[in-house]
Amino acid sequence: MKKHILQKTAAFLLSLIISVSAIPLVSFAETVQSEALYTGMYSPDEEYVFSVRQDHASGDVQFGEDKNGTYADITGDAVLSFSGDIPKAGQYQIALEYLLSSDSPRELNLEASVNNGDFVQFELPKIYRDILGSDGKIERDSRGNDVKPQQESIEQYVILPIRELGNAAGEIKLYDLNEGNNQIRLEFEGQKVKIRSIRIFHSESEPYNAANPDDNNKDSILIEAEYPLYKSSSLLYPMSDRSSVATTPYHYSQIRLNTIGGSSWKQPGQWITWQFNVKQAGYYSITLRYRQNVLRGMQASRRIYIDGRVPYDELADYRFSYDRGWQLETLSSNEQTMYFYLSEGVHTLSMEAIMGNMLQITSNLQNVITELNQLYLQIIKITGIEPDIYRSYDLDKQIPNLKTTMQALSDTLTQIAESYEAEAGSVGSELSFLHEMAILIDSFIEDPDRISSGLDKFKSNISTLSTLLSTIGQQPLEVDKILIKGMAATEELKENAGFWESLWNGVKSFFASFVTDYSMIGSGEGDPSQALKVWITTGRDQAQILKAMIDDTFTPKHGINVELSLIQAGLVEATMAGKGPDIALGVSGAILGTAASAVGIVRSVPIDLGVRGVLVDLSEYEKFDEIKSRFQETAFNGYTYEDKTFAIPETQDFNVMFVRTDILSQLGLQPPETWDDLINMIPTLSQENMQVGVPQACITTMLLQNGMTYYQPGYEKTVFSTQECYEVYQDYIALYRDYEQPYYFDSGNRFKTGEMPVLIAPYSFFNTITVLAPEIRDLWDIYLVPGTEQEDGTINHATEATGVSSIMFKKCENKENGFTFLDWWSSADTQYRYGQEIENVLGKAGRYATANVEAFAKLDWSKRQLEVITAQRQYVHEIEEIPGSYIIARNMNNIFLDIINNGANIRESLVRYSKVMDEELVRKRLEIELLEKQ
């Protein structure tokens, strides 16, 4: 008996020791719900917990204790190692218990290595929920329209399986783990996150049993999909659909946010969880009213969870077909309705976007695009970018195995298209282009001399394939409602409304259009005549975001009502007619045309209106210096004239250098630091028929780096007739005349194909290239623009900036209220939230170039990107704006074209056109002086 007790005691102590590193847990409900937020996305059959240990950590990490145990608090670059025993070798999934701070600007990005294997990049989301009204419903503005709810990041521990980055984000990744000890290493870069444990777990499902049960359950539950419990992305906000009266709720003239998903729910790994309450235990079917009208002839895949588990194999990759209209889909297996046993109480239903069968297709297509780009670069090394179509280049002899390579590419393209069409049972119009590309390649194989004449088409087709790669990698799905229905219940969903119902609502909508002002986003409560009239010149999404921010932040705090209107043009005309606003946002002074596009945006509206006495001098306000401190040092240069400031910056965009690091590495080149470095690499690039992308606007950059702007002291003359400018212009024009670099080019396509591995472009080009060329995601980086070495050995990387601004008109009756609004709008908190909300709606393509330095640093830039852009901002010098400066943009372009196209002498052209500029500046100054005397 004593021996038995001793054995039990020893076993208990041994298990206690092992539990320090690995704790097997059986019940998800007992463990996860007591320690972490239950998202409806995690419920393992078997689980082992590897807890954090202080002796297994390094970097920016500290440890703390709370009621649930030890956690690692990571504030920057750090490494965490976990180790523990597993009783049986096999394939396991891995989950992480983590807490992302609500003010963290981005998702949790990390790299993981299992048992000293290769590191793999992962991303784990912040968890969001909608902030609803006190009644639990979406709030409405003063005009009766639903207002998109704010997204709240939940600051609580959560346990989620780790998923790879990219297209494989939604896929389940299994790891081969050993019996006994296993090691997992996590590396974090610039993160703010708390980590408690890693979970090693099994979660199994089985095929659905087609023998449907017999149940007399008549209960049913209707879920309005626009009211989720949690979601993995703030992009997954409620949307408005007025295409069908059957979409609920519906109104014939007012906006109702009545669906969720669509083009916002397309990225693999995004998930939504809904919660519902079952009153009667029994068997239920699940029907969705959905729409997939984006990918023609293709399907969208979802992994479907009930209470955190995928109950049947069929739900691991459930597909929703394409149709232009709304459809009903009852979850089924082999055309038989699936029934799920649900106990009485609260349950969750989760749907996760996955690639499904498209994962292999996109992987194969990405490989094909990479090979096509490499082949294109091989061809232009011989033919150049613009080959002579009448010349035979003997490409099949000069490029080894050309025909064999092309045949393999053609076969792969055809195979990709046919394999998907066979599985989907339809021909997707997007995928039909693969056949077209294969036919073009086949024509090249038949006659290689056709390559030179068909090179432009070959290049454009590669670009189209890149767009196709981005398209088919998406999994859009829009959901209106979900019906969870007992076996004996009679309730049904309507796919579409009847003819008479649709006709009647169409008639009401038609007549409502005569009395509804669709440009009005919303107005404050109370007397509309006392509201601050604000015009915004962006898009409706941005205007809706701003209106929501005004209603929940500005008006409650300051008690100032705002009437916000969306306009696209006519600000100056309305102002001159006396019908303009009190405040205008997003004011761009761009002078449209070739000249402006060549040399950059010229902000003339704030100065032109300001010197004519239309705008308020904002520098007169006591708080102006505080506002000014929020921005880069020269950000107000373009909005200030004779010590009067007529605008506050909103955005500030400036050049950086984009580099195809893969190509430069192959050629043994380093990213250029100076203009001399850039010029020295041109011969090497030229030998490969590659070029550098230097836009015409870089003359401004070179002038600034040599201590000049456009004007001589006193602003009565320009610098273009000076010896100093002549010397700079010689170096500048040599890039195009002597080194034959292009001055008009398609930045996106040339950078993507590798023809232009070094490109100077605004940092907002990041938005473009991220969406345009996902296949080169890890093959490029950004650097400071090439600089000019100074006498003291330092390098000056100065460059100009462009942007839009906010202005206040003198007609504003309550200017203190107007200035209070501008103060609020330009603050770091407001600009950060606005930028975050825009990116939530538009994705990375909508990354906001806020001029507020503090707000910019909080946006979702990687550590490396933020460092480079911040460093470049230190060198920014915005050019001063004066009346008549429009003449400079026009004539800078004239000088350039005169020298390049007409072969004019540099000095003569500079002197001739500088005289025109100087005369116009004098004329404008006299005009303004006469206006001031009136």
Side-chain angles (χ1 to χ4, degrees):
M1 183 71 178
K2 290 182 178 180
K3 183 177 180 181
H4 180 64
I5 294 173
L6 288 173
Q7 288 175 336
K8 291 180 67 177
T9 303
F12 171 75
L13 292 174
L14 180 61
S15 65
L16 185 63
I17 293 171
I18 294 175
S19 70
V20 172
S21 58
I23 308 174
L25 300 168
V26 178
S27 172
F28 170 75
E30 293 177 0
T31 305
V32 175
Q33 289 183 339
S34 63
E35 295 184 3
L37 180 73
Y38 177 58
T39 64
M41 290 290 295
Y42 183 73
S43 181
D45 296 320
E46 182 183 15
E47 183 183 42
Y48 299 90
V49 181
F50 294 0
S51 300
V52 295
R53 293 175 53 180
Q54 297 191 33
D55 58 339
H56 286 177
S58 61
D60 299 326
V61 55
Q62 295 182 342
F63 286 82
E65 296 279 345
D66 59 23
K67 64 180 181 180
N68 292 315
T70 303
Y71 62 84
D73 187 0
I74 296 170
T75 56
D77 297 345
V79 176
L80 289 181
S81 296
F82 299 83
S83 64
D85 289 342
I86 294 178
K88 182 180 179 180
Q91 289 190 320
Y92 295 82
Q93 293 186 62
I94 297 177
L96 188 64
E97 183 179 8
Y98 66 99
L99 185 156
L100 269 171
S101 172
S102 60
D103 62 357
S104 178
R106 52 186 175 272
E107 314 300 317
L108 174 58
N109 294 301
L110 67 153
E111 293 186 340
S113 170
V114 176
N115 291 331
N116 298 317
D118 293 336
F119 278 92
V120 180
Q121 288 187 319
F122 296 97
E123 182 177 85
L124 285 165
K126 299 170 73 173
I127 309 302
Y128 294 89
R129 64 185 169 202
D130 297 332
I131 300 178
L132 303 173
S134 57
D135 59 352
K137 300 293 183 181
I138 294 171
E139 295 184 318
R140 293 176 182 169
D141 63 19
S142 58
R143 300 174 64 83
N145 296 313
D146 283 359
V147 178
K148 184 177 77 69
Q150 291 184 54
Q151 305 297 295
E152 178 182 42
S153 173
I154 299 172
E155 195 163 346
Q156 189 172 340
Y157 278 101
V158 64
I159 302 173
L160 284 175
I162 60 177
R163 300 283 193 256
E164 289 188 53
L165 277 172
N167 287 338
E171 305 306 315
I172 294 175
K173 187 172 179 64
L174 298 175
Y175 296 87
D176 293 316
L177 298 181
N178 308 320
E179 179 182 348
N181 187 263
N182 288 269
Q183 309 242 345
I184 302 173
R185 179 183 172 92
L186 304 181
E187 292 193 358
F188 304 84
E189 181 181 358
Q191 295 281 172
K192 291 178 64 177
V193 61
K194 293 180 180 178
I195 304 293
R196 191 183 296 284
S197 67
I198 271 186
R199 312 293 178 106
I200 311 299
F201 71 98
H202 277 300
S203 185
E204 304 292 341
S205 62
E206 57 186 25
Y208 180 71
N209 182 2
N212 289 330
D214 184 15
D215 191 355
N216 195 34
N217 178 18
K218 297 182 179 181
D219 194 20
S220 62
I221 305 107
L222 181 65
I223 301 174
E224 288 289 353
E226 65 269 19
Y227 288 101
L229 176 66
Y230 300 121
K231 56 269 189 86
S232 64
S233 170
S234 55
L235 287 171
L236 302 175
Y237 51 85
M239 302 170 60
S240 176
D241 171 66
R242 294 181 62 188
S243 66
S244 172
V245 181
T247 306
T248 58
Y250 179 88
H251 194 277
Y252 62 88
S253 65
Q254 294 175 338
I255 295 173
R256 293 291 178 264
L257 301 179
N258 47 16
T259 69
I260 195 168
S263 58
S264 297
W265 193 14
K266 64 185 179 182
Q267 298 301 332
Q270 290 180 322
W271 52 262
I272 301 175
T273 294
W274 295 272
Q275 188 179 74
F276 59 96
N277 185 33
V278 173
K279 296 179 181 178
Q280 179 182 342
Y283 288 91
Y284 291 80
S285 63
I286 300 176
T287 301
L288 297 91
R289 184 173 186 265
Y290 80 95
R291 180 169 60 179
Q292 196 286 91
N293 61 345
V294 179
L295 299 179
R296 289 170 290 180
M298 300 169 67
Q299 299 172 321
S301 294
R302 291 294 182 271
R303 182 177 295 118
I304 300 175
Y305 302 78
I306 297 177
D307 295 330
R309 299 175 58 81
V310 179
Y312 302 112
D313 293 343
E314 291 85 344
L315 300 183
D317 180 9
Y318 201 91
R319 298 173 191 171
F320 296 85
S321 60
Y322 167 84
D323 195 277
R324 293 177 63 185
W326 288 92
Q327 302 181 71
L328 297 180
E329 176 67 27
T330 299
L331 301 184
S332 59
S333 173
N334 296 321
E335 299 184 354
Q336 289 189 318
T337 299
M338 301 174 71
Y339 289 95
F340 309 88
Y341 182 81
L342 299 174
S343 61
E344 182 181 342
V346 176
H347 295 267
T348 60
L349 171 67
S350 303
M351 297 177 67
E352 181 180 21
I354 63 171
M355 287 296 295
N357 66 316
M358 295 304 296
L359 179 61
Q360 188 60 49
I361 290 175
T362 54
S363 178
N364 292 341
L365 183 56
Q366 181 156 352
N367 292 335
V368 168
I369 293 172
T370 300
E371 292 181 32
L372 286 170
N373 273 322
Q374 291 173 351
L375 179 60
Y376 174 74
L377 289 177
Q378 284 183 291
I379 292 171
I380 65 171
K381 287 178 183 178
I382 299 168
T383 67
I385 295 173
E386 298 179 356
D388 183 349
I389 61 174
Y390 300 107
R391 174 183 170 186
S392 176
Y393 290 92
D394 293 328
L395 293 172
D396 54 330
K397 297 177 181 178
Q398 296 200 53
I399 300 176
N401 303 315
L402 175 63
K403 289 188 176 181
T404 304
T405 301
M406 284 189 164
Q407 188 62 60
L409 291 170
S410 176
D411 292 344
T412 303
L413 288 168
T414 303
Q415 182 182 1
I416 290 172
E418 291 179 348
S419 62
Y420 180 79
E421 290 163 4
E423 187 169 351
S426 63
V427 180
S429 57
E430 283 86 354
L431 289 174
S432 65
F433 181 78
L434 298 175
H435 292 296
E436 296 179 24
M437 184 61 164
I439 292 172
L440 178 64
I441 295 175
D442 288 340
S443 71
F444 291 166
I445 296 172
E446 182 180 343
D447 182 5
D449 286 339
R450 293 178 180 172
I451 295 176
S452 57
S453 60
L455 189 60
D456 279 345
K457 186 175 182 180
F458 183 62
K459 172 188 172 182
S460 65
N461 283 1
I462 295 174
S463 178
T464 304
L465 283 178
S466 297
T467 304
L468 175 62
L469 175 64
S470 176
T471 300
I472 67 174
Q474 301 169 0
Q475 299 291 319
L477 188 70
E478 186 175 5
V479 183
D480 170 32
K481 55 178 73 73
I482 304 168
L483 178 63
I484 301 172
K485 175 183 164 185
M487 292 190 68
T490 59
E491 184 175 354
E492 300 289 347
L493 294 180
K494 285 200 305 182
E495 184 172 270
N496 285 297
F499 172 77
W500 294 111
E501 185 181 5
S502 298
L503 178 62
W504 176 236
N505 277 276
V507 171
K508 290 192 292 183
S509 296
F510 172 73
F511 285 104
S513 67
F514 291 100
V515 296
T516 303
D517 183 0
Y518 293 103
S519 69
M520 186 74 70
I521 301 301
S523 59
E525 299 178 357
D527 186 356
S529 65
Q530 300 301 314
L532 192 65
K533 292 178 175 59
V534 178
W535 287 8
I536 183 172
T537 59
T538 54
R540 180 163 289 272
D541 286 331
Q542 291 91 329
Q544 291 283 9
I545 289 168
L546 177 57
K547 179 57 182 172
M549 293 171 58
I550 290 170
D551 289 345
D552 64 45
T553 305
F554 177 73
T555 298
K557 180 178 180 180
H558 299 285
I560 302 171
N561 294 325
V562 175
E563 180 185 285
L564 182 66
S565 297
L566 174 64
I567 66 166
Q568 297 301 324
L571 174 64
V572 174
E573 292 81 355
T575 300
M576 294 298 102
K579 299 182 180 297
D582 299 322
I583 301 286
L585 308 181
V587 176
S588 171
I591 297 177
L592 301 180
T594 305
S597 63
V599 301
I601 294 177
V602 180
R603 291 163 306 222
S604 59
V605 172
I607 296 300
D608 283 351
L609 292 181
V611 297
R612 287 168 172 79
V614 177
L615 303 183
V616 174
D617 176 11
L618 301 174
S619 64
E620 294 179 349
Y621 289 85
E622 183 178 348
K623 201 175 182 181
F624 176 76
D625 288 339
E626 178 187 331
I627 292 176
K628 193 173 182 179
S629 67
R630 301 168 182 170
F631 302 92
Q632 190 265 348
E633 183 180 0
T634 66
F636 284 83
N637 281 6
Y639 311 119
T640 302
Y641 180 70
E642 293 187 346
D643 297 325
K644 293 181 179 180
T645 301
F646 300 109
I648 295 176
E650 289 183 31
T651 62
Q652 187 183 46
D653 198 6
F654 45 84
N655 285 337
V656 294
M657 182 171 63
F658 291 80
V659 173
R660 283 288 301 269
T661 51
D662 59 326
I663 294 177
L664 261 60
S665 177
Q666 292 172 9
L667 298 177
L669 299 172
Q670 295 295 322
E673 189 173 1
T674 67
W675 291 105
D676 289 340
D677 295 338
L678 181 72
I679 290 171
N680 290 337
M681 71 162 48
I682 288 177
T684 302
L685 294 176
S686 296
Q687 289 175 4
E688 307 294 330
N689 280 317
M690 297 177 185
Q691 300 167 321
V692 296
V694 181
Q696 279 182 251
C698 279
I699 179 57
T700 307
T701 296
M702 292 184 174
L703 289 173
L704 290 171
Q705 292 177 5
N706 285 274
M708 288 175 278
T709 67
Y710 296 158
Y711 314 104
Q712 296 186 40
Y715 300 100
E716 295 184 358
K717 288 187 176 183
T718 65
V719 299
F720 298 102
S721 61
T722 64
Q723 176 65 22
E724 293 80 5
C725 179
Y726 168 72
E727 292 174 358
V728 171
Y729 210 90
Q730 277 188 307
D731 294 336
Y732 162 72
I733 209 70
L735 282 166
Y736 311 102
R737 188 182 61 183
D738 301 341
Y739 293 98
E740 299 182 340
Q741 299 307 294
Y743 50 90
Y744 290 132
F745 49 84
D746 184 332
S747 301
N749 281 326
R750 292 211 176 185
F751 186 74
K752 178 173 66 174
T753 60
E755 298 172 41
M756 202 166 269
V758 177
L759 170 70
I760 298 171
Y763 75 77
S764 59
F765 180 71
F766 165 88
N767 304 12
T768 303
I769 200 64
T770 301
V771 176
L772 180 67
E775 71 275 12
I776 61 168
R777 181 181 59 205
D778 299 321
L779 305 180
W780 60 271
D781 208 342
I782 59 174
Y783 297 83
L784 300 181
V785 296
T788 300
E789 188 170 352
Q790 308 296 295
E791 292 182 358
D792 60 0
T794 61
I795 297 175
N796 185 344
H797 295 276
T799 190
E800 155 72 323
T802 63
V804 298
S805 62
S806 309
I807 56 179
M808 179 165 62
F809 292 85
K810 284 188 175 180
K811 69 176 285 289
C812 178
E813 294 183 3
N814 194 326
K815 294 181 177 58
E816 288 295 333
N817 285 355
F819 187 81
T820 299
F821 179 85
L822 292 177
D823 177 28
W824 168 82
W825 171 236
S826 63
S827 66
D829 290 343
T830 302
Q831 285 290 294
Y832 167 61
R833 179 182 162 188
Y834 181 71
Q836 192 177 44
E837 293 269 2
I838 289 177
E839 191 163 350
N840 289 345
V841 173
L842 302 178
K844 289 184 178 179
R847 180 74 55 82
Y848 182 52
T850 177
N852 186 295
V853 176
E854 182 182 346
F856 177 87
K858 293 181 179 179
L859 293 176
D860 192 17
W861 297 98
S862 71
K863 181 181 178 182
R864 159 72 182 170
Q865 292 162 352
L866 182 61
E867 287 175 349
V868 173
I869 297 173
T870 300
Q872 184 65 71
R873 193 189 296 272
Q874 302 303 314
Y875 288 99
V876 166
H877 183 102
E878 299 221 23
I879 301 294
E880 296 81 358
E881 178 71 20
I882 64 175
S885 58
Y886 59 83
I887 199 67
I888 295 177
R890 184 181 307 163
N891 284 282
M892 285 175 68
N893 192 56
N894 289 339
I895 294 170
F896 182 87
L897 295 178
D898 190 32
I899 296 170
I900 293 295
N901 294 343
N902 302 331
N905 179 276
I906 295 177
R907 189 184 298 277
E908 289 180 358
S909 188
L910 285 170
V911 171
R912 182 168 66 255
Y913 285 104
S914 66
K915 183 179 180 181
V916 176
M917 290 185 262
D918 295 346
E919 289 176 350
E920 181 65 11
L921 294 181
V922 171
R923 190 187 71 80
K924 271 294 178 183
R925 178 181 289 273
L926 292 174
E927 177 185 324
I928 298 303
E929 289 176 354
L930 288 174
L931 283 174
E932 291 174 349
K933 292 177 180 179
Q934 291 178 357

